Amino acid sequence: QVQVVESGGGLVQPGGSLRLSCAASGSIVSIYNMGWYRQTPGKQRDLVATITRDSTTNYAGSVSGRFTISRDNAKNTVYLEMNSLKPEDTAVYYCNARIQKTGFSYSVSYWGQGTQVTVSS
């Protein structure tokens, strides 16, 4: 069994910062790409940032220069440092990880349950 769990969401004022964390646990052989996505009511889930196992990163244009994605492979954890937050960053943030489980020769995409980020004064 594999679990992906986010933490770190909350309420922050415009211009503030938050750090999200996402830890994968269970019978894991390897974790490949990891990423953060966000979704607002009635809209599709959009990519925020992704990171490969060797830490090559990719960002959505709307967050580039403000958000930083990183990972700790030893802890099976990915982080999202969010600075200069804007009200339009308000969303449920989801973690995604492509994971190879023990006993399997292929990887599967796993999603966390989501964490709410609200940017408001």
Side-chain angles (χ1 to χ4, degrees):
Q1 190 76 323
V2 169
Q3 282 191 312
V4 175
V5 179
E6 304 103 334
S7 61
L11 173 64
V12 63
Q13 292 188 341
S17 298
L18 274 178
R19 189 192 197 206
L20 305 182
S21 299
C22 170
S25 62
S27 301
I28 296 170
V29 172
S30 188
I31 302 178
Y32 300 99
N33 282 17
M34 304 182 82
W36 291 94
Y37 295 73
R38 65 187 182 187
Q39 189 171 24
T40 54
K43 295 193 175 182
Q44 68 179 19
R45 191 172 296 184
D46 291 328
L47 179 147
V48 176
T50 60
I51 185 168
T52 65
R53 185 166 177 82
D54 63 358
S55 295
T56 299
T57 59
N58 178 56
Y59 295 93
S62 59
V63 307
S64 183
R66 299 187 297 122
F67 291 11
T68 302
I69 189 171
S70 61
R71 65 190 285 173
D72 184 333
N73 290 332
K75 296 182 179 180
N76 291 339
T77 300
V78 62
Y79 306 96
L80 186 68
E81 186 76 34
M82 304 185 292
N83 298 313
S84 302
L85 281 160
K86 305 175 181 179
E88 51 264 43
D89 293 318
T90 296
V92 178
Y93 283 70
Y94 295 91
C95 173
N96 177 265
R98 181 156 286 277
I99 297 172
Q100 181 183 355
K101 290 173 54 177
T102 302
F104 291 79
S105 60
Y106 55 87
S107 60
V108 175
S109 179
Y110 287 88
W111 290 93
Q113 81 288 352
T115 185
Q116 177 70 46
V117 171
T118 302
V119 185
S120 175
S121 55

